[in-house]
Amino acid sequence: MKELAYLTRTMRRYLFLVFLSIHSFLAQGQKPEKLNSSQIFEKIEDLNFLGTALYIAAHPDDENTTMISYLANEVHARTGYLSLTRGDGGQNLIGPEIRELLGVIRTEELLAARRIDGGVQRFTRANDFGFSKHPDETLEIWDKDEVLGDVVWAIRKFKPDVIINRFDHRTPGTTHGHHTSSAILSHEAFDLVGDASQYPEQLKYTQTWQPKRQFLNTSSWFYRNREAFEQAMKDSDLISMEIGVYYPSYGLSNNEISSLSRSQHKSQGMGNTGSRGSQMEYLELINGDKPKDGNLFDGIDTSWNRVKGGSAIGDILYAVQENYDHGNPAASLPGLIKAYSLITKLEDTHWRPIKENQIKQVIKACAGLYLEAVTDRQTATKNENVTLEVEAINRSDFPVKLDDIIVLPYGERIEAATTLNDNTDFSTRASFNTGNAALTTPYWLREEGTLGMYRVDDQQLIGEPETPRVIKAVFDLDFDGVKIPITETIAYKYNDRVDGEVFEPFEIVPPVSVAIDEPVIIFADAKPKNITVKVTAYTNNLNASVTLRASPGWKVTPTSIETIIPQKGESRTLAFEVTPPANQDQATIEPVATIDGKEYNLKVQHIDYKHIPLQTLSLSAKAKVVRLNIEKKGNYIGYIEGAGDVVPQGLEQMGYQVAKISPENITPVLLKQFDAVVVGIRAYNVSQELRFKQPQLLDYVKNGGTMIVQYNTARGFDFDGVGPYPLALSNDRVTREDAAVKILDPKNELLNVPNKITEDDFKGWVQERGLYFPNTWDSHYTPIFSMHDDNEAASDGSLLITKYGEGHYIYTGLSFFRELPAGVPGAFRLFANMLSVGKNDEKIKG
């Protein structure tokens, strides 16, 4: 079996690498693109199609990658996906990052998906604040006018002929409120984008636009049953499309490409197995006229005749396509270069830069031209001298000269004045100074936003997937007398002993990073704590004075610490004693490093996963400090990890000693030592081994232990033995973080000792109350709380407790995995009471 598993992994990896070579999937980020002959031909076909489609939905992983791949690879349309949010409100299956950091990961996963399926990625400023049951709630928390403006902006900038909505604007309350809101806003925007009186400030940078038609990407699951769907096919404007096509040049079906694309959403567990054969997609017309024969671009001129002066370009490029020699792509260069000269003269300000960029890439590929500009370091600071290694090689017999290389945005000129002879490598070394370069951190995180919106004041940044890279190298090339500048983003390159050649983004960072390990620090009593500040130098010979600023009522000693760090990349850990106020309080602390009179208060944070480029973020170094009035019983907690959360760190903050347990290591002897055992979120969803160990866990309870099980997703949940008595999970959830909470059993030990729990302990909760509550349970369980969203029936299954043998079992769908990292006092107090059950003098009801 091990050998079979190995072979399966090896084959999957081989097929994946084959596809990556086909689609230039640049997981490392800035690696120069290398197109093979088949890819070059595909790019020429793209050059000759002047039509655009835009797919619109709410979140990363909402998009129909099969449809996007079909439009991009079969139709050759410029195809975009507008995700209204970056997915910050989701959960994370691959690591501990949530909220904004998860949004960064999911942004990069979308870009990885688009590199595979051939699409283009766009966003709005809407913040994924978590699950919403109705668009009224969504559009209240989002600033509807601003998000609608962002959708209008995206359409005016992208100029789609065809818009496809993933969700139905006519069915509010039947799905996630974000989903329906995305369709509502798209539907409204269709009628606004051509009106110059709507969002007129945008017209400084773009023009009005009117798409030809708009569709809903429907399917049978939009209808009551298959019969209702088939009837709709007869009665409505539904279009059926066969998109299960096979691409011989790739050796893959469209469905397989789609699966590879969708599998990039790894943080959401969206790994997908490819399929082959026929696959139908259905579109319902909701705006515009119905196209003939299922051709979405019917009645739209998608040829070069679409633009003034394009006819002559089309004559050349259609001939290039017709006569393309797969064995000698360089034979296409004369025609391509002639067409390039004409494209640069087009008056059309929309299509000219798009086609100019496309044809440059084709020319570069046909010449076998490899251009690289890499630095000797991954990070630099302002006004730092950086060494640049430049390489250029022409692997064709077409005459190409390299005049010089210009380093942007500085205008630094590197002289070359050389002829790039066939297969003769040219390289040189130079340096540039970073000057007053801006930090290359995600632009949407630079300013503090609101619950529903990111703050981005620069109109031209709105919608960009990443902060645009401005540090670039422009290779000034001469193709037989025609000047063609080709721009490459400057990256960092090094050799790894295992992975070989590795490219990473070149980043501008502050000279010093000041970081506190935990974003929230809990003081369970009035005793002082040592809080450490990690100071990392991003320049040599760092000499800094570090202070820890705190809100009034919090005392910090010493007032400052001097530190000297000789080498870039080295760190020092400095300890400050922080004394909280006597009473319960919430405040912030902020580490600040002063260098030559200038203050720095940012932490440099890296997000490093294999499937996305290395992310380097410069973020606020502030941390939250919380003084609790809290008591606890017991000390040693076993934590069985699920799908990634930071609840164990929260328990340690409360003063517990926490041991993380792998399911395969569970034994009665191991469990016996713990005062309580906590099961992490979705643990039974992701671990089959844990289900096998459940009898031992329940025996631990029967023998006097306390076991707390956090939520599992209800969809597909088929484990009847999750509790000692039957309970059934549901999709019930309370999404309003301020929803009223009613205490059902006020005398229950869980609410009274060692901390008195009241409705006030639910103040300040973030994102939601909880999710996937049980909706039926055995009479042995006692429900503790009742809560509900507006206009819904009460849900009583958020926390169930039962006595089992000599011990106690608790199942809870309350979102402790969000509340503890956010430092919500009531969540800590309630969790302390759960851990203390069975260790108090009072007896529990049950």
Side-chain angles (χ1 to χ4, degrees), residues 9 33-34 48 97 99 102 117 132 285 383 399 487 529 532 567 656 736:
R9 289 195 303 271
E33 192 175 38
K34 302 174 184 177
N48 283 328
E97 297 89 355
R99 293 302 307 150
L102 177 58
D117 60 36
S132 172
L285 183 71
N383 297 306
T487 302
K529 278 189 176 184
T532 58
Q567 295 293 322
Y656 288 102
R736 293 199 71 107

Side-chain angles (χ1 to χ4, degrees), residues 386-414:
V386 177
T387 298
L388 189 67
E389 299 275 357
V390 176
E391 179 185 359
I393 185 169
N394 170 23
R395 289 167 289 188
S396 74
D397 58 5
F398 193 90
V400 181
K401 294 178 182 178
L402 175 60
D403 294 334
D404 53 31
I405 302 103
I406 307 297
V407 180
L408 298 179
Y410 313 108
E412 185 83 26
R413 182 173 180 271
I414 304 169

